[in-house]
């Protein structure tokens, strides 16, 4: 990336800055460089067409401003982004940027090309606003979270291979009850996570897709978890599906507030879910509702956990629910 044509671009050494709204095509290799998107306002669309950027001291792709930025993965292209373990922060007080692809504005991915992201420092792909993915082939590994949208994470389609030490897919806003949600409409996912595979601070909704969680501390976690469709399998060291308030500071738990069945619940209306849990298979600090779908739980072998665990009620009016595990903490559906 030593040359450009058109307006709105400047190059200073290995730092490429896009400073105006518009549409751009980026290709080529930077072995130790940075792409900065900083138009101030307006919309920026970037077509990635065989781009490879690595950086040994900061975020390789830093989106500083704009109304929103769309990254279009050009068909047939393979694009790569990787950072290093050590960072020199531009914003020292907030320790930003801190991800291989870091955005301070709403970020959208689209297209059918491939994107390989390695987050050696912390997160791989992170937006401080919302993050929407409409397609593409993603291979993501991270020292912390793999793909995180603070306000929300919405995935309409795509293929995802994710390996993370922290959470796999995440929305982390915990101060606004209208945000902090994750919604998956479709796509194919293989997730290996050191903490939660899919984590929402408020609501987690899965409407479709094929999700294979091969490793996690907890599989699916949110204040509310709603599964309307999809083919889902969960392997976890603790709870398979967890509905609870708030985030605990430790790994894999949500706790700290009193729950009730109106604000905390797990709801299954469709799809097929298979859980293999060392902890609770299905754990709600409020209620569990099931009106359709299939939920199969291979539960724990320790008496301190149960295949089904809820605080308020379990109402089932349709679908198939099978739970197998140790009987020490076992619960069944309510009498209604």
């Amino acid at each position: 990336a030593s040359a450009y044509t058109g307006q709105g671009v400047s190059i200073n050494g290995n730092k490429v800055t896009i400073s105006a709204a518009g549409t751009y095509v980026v290709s080529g290799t930077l072995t130790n460089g940075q792409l900065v998107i900083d138009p101030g306002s307006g919309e920026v669309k970037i077509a990635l067409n065989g781009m490879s950027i690595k950086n040994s001291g900061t975020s390789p792709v830093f989106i500083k401003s704009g109304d929103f930025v769309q990254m279009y993965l050009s068909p047939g292209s393979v694009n790569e982004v990787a950072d290093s373990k050590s960072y020199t922060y531009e914003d020292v007080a907030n320790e930003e940027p801190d991800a291989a692809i870091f955005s301070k504005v709403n970020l959208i991915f689209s297209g059918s090309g491939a994107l390989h992201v390695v987050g050696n420092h912390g997160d791989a792909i992170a937006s401080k606003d919302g993050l929407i993915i409409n397609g593409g082939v993603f291979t993501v590994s991270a020292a912390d979270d793999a793909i995180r949208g603070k306000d929300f994470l919405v995935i309409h389609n795509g293929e995802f291979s994710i390996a993370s030490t922290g959470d796999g897919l995440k929305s982390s806003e915990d101060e606004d009850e209208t945000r902090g949600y994750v919604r998956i409409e479709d796509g194919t996912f293989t997730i290996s996570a050191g903490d939660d595979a899919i984590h929402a601070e408020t609501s987690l909704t899965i409407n479709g897709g094929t999700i294979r969680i091969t490793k996690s501390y907890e599989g699916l976690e949110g204040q509310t978890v709603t599964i309307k469709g999809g083919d889902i399998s969960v392997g976890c060291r603790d709870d398979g599906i967890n509905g609870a308030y708030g985030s605990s500071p430790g790994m894999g738990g949500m706790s700290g507030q009193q729950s009730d069945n109106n604000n905390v619940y797990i709801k299954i209306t469709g799809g097929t879910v298979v859980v293999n849990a060392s902890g609770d298979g299905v754990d709600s600090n409020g209620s569990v509702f099931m009106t359709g779908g299939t939920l199969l739980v291979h539960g724990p072998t320790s008496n301190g956990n149960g295949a089904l665990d809820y605080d308020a009620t379990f109402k089932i009016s349709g679908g198939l629910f099978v739970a197998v595990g140790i009987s020490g903490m076992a619960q069944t559906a309510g009498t209604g």
Side-chain angles (χ1 to χ4, degrees):
S2 60
Y4 67 91
T5 59
Q7 303 298 314
V9 180
S10 62
I11 297 177
N12 182 8
N14 281 344
K15 181 178 180 179
V16 179
T17 302
I18 294 174
S19 56
T23 301
Y24 302 83
V25 178
V26 179
S27 61
T29 300
L30 281 175
T31 57
N32 186 19
Q34 187 181 44
L35 173 63
V36 178
I37 296 94
D38 190 14
S41 61
E43 302 171 4
V44 177
K45 181 177 181 180
I46 301 173
L48 304 183
N49 190 25
M51 177 196 78
S52 177
I53 301 180
K54 298 179 181 179
N55 196 296
S56 61
T58 188
S59 172
V61 177
F62 182 19
I63 303 170
K64 297 180 68 174
S65 66
D67 293 338
F68 72 83
V69 171
Q70 179 179 176
M71 288 193 166
Y72 176 75
L73 305 175
S74 300
S77 69
V78 177
N79 306 279
E80 301 176 333
V81 177
D83 63 6
S84 65
K85 291 183 178 179
S86 62
Y87 264 42
T88 300
Y89 297 115
E90 180 174 306
D91 183 347
V92 176
N94 293 308
E95 296 186 348
E96 294 175 357
D98 64 351
I101 298 177
F102 182 86
S103 178
K104 299 185 74 170
V105 304
N106 290 320
L107 176 60
I108 302 171
F109 286 96
S110 62
S112 60
L115 179 62
H116 301 167
V117 184
V118 179
N120 289 302
H121 174 73
D123 296 348
I125 301 173
S127 171
K128 289 198 71 177
D129 278 346
L131 177 57
I132 299 173
I133 300 177
N134 290 321
V137 180
F138 293 80
T139 303
V140 181
S141 62
D144 194 7
D145 303 331
I147 301 176
R148 176 171 62 89
K150 182 176 182 181
D151 287 354
F152 57 82
L153 172 61
V154 177
I155 299 176
H156 291 282
N157 215 328
E159 298 178 28
F160 301 84
S161 178
I162 293 172
S164 66
T165 301
D167 297 329
L169 305 175
K170 183 176 186 177
S171 181
S172 57
E173 175 59 65
D174 58 1
E175 296 180 356
D176 186 342
E177 63 182 12
T178 66
R179 301 180 180 183
Y181 61 87
V182 175
R183 188 172 75 242
I184 296 174
E185 300 292 341
D186 204 350
T188 302
F189 304 81
T190 301
I191 303 173
S192 174
D195 202 350
D196 301 337
I198 307 177
H199 176 98
E201 285 296 314
T202 55
S203 65
L204 168 59
T205 303
I206 300 174
N207 293 322
T210 300
I211 301 173
R212 298 285 176 261
I213 299 172
T214 60
K215 174 187 174 184
S216 65
Y217 186 76
E218 292 188 335
L220 310 176
E221 182 173 67
Q223 179 178 322
T224 66
V225 179
T226 302
I227 299 173
K228 299 180 180 180
D231 182 0
I232 305 166
S233 64
V234 178
C236 57
R237 302 196 311 277
D238 195 25
D239 301 340
I241 306 175
N242 186 32
Y245 260 123
S247 289
S248 68
M251 177 177 287
M254 298 184 74
S255 62
Q257 298 186 42
Q258 185 176 357
S259 302
D260 62 78
N261 60 331
N262 293 320
N263 295 320
V264 177
Y265 59 80
I266 296 169
K267 183 182 293 184
I268 312 292
T269 65
T272 299
V273 185
V274 179
V275 175
N276 195 327
S278 297
D280 297 326
V282 176
D283 181 5
S284 176
N285 289 359
S287 292
V288 181
F289 304 100
M290 188 168 183
T291 63
T294 300
L295 177 56
L296 308 178
V297 179
H298 302 266
T301 57
S302 168
N303 268 319
N305 296 290
L308 173 64
D309 180 15
Y310 58 89
D311 290 349
T313 186
F314 178 15
K315 297 180 179 179
I316 179 168
S317 60
L320 173 65
F321 175 60
V322 179
V324 179
I326 199 71
S327 61
M329 298 289 289
Q331 289 182 281
T332 62
T335 57

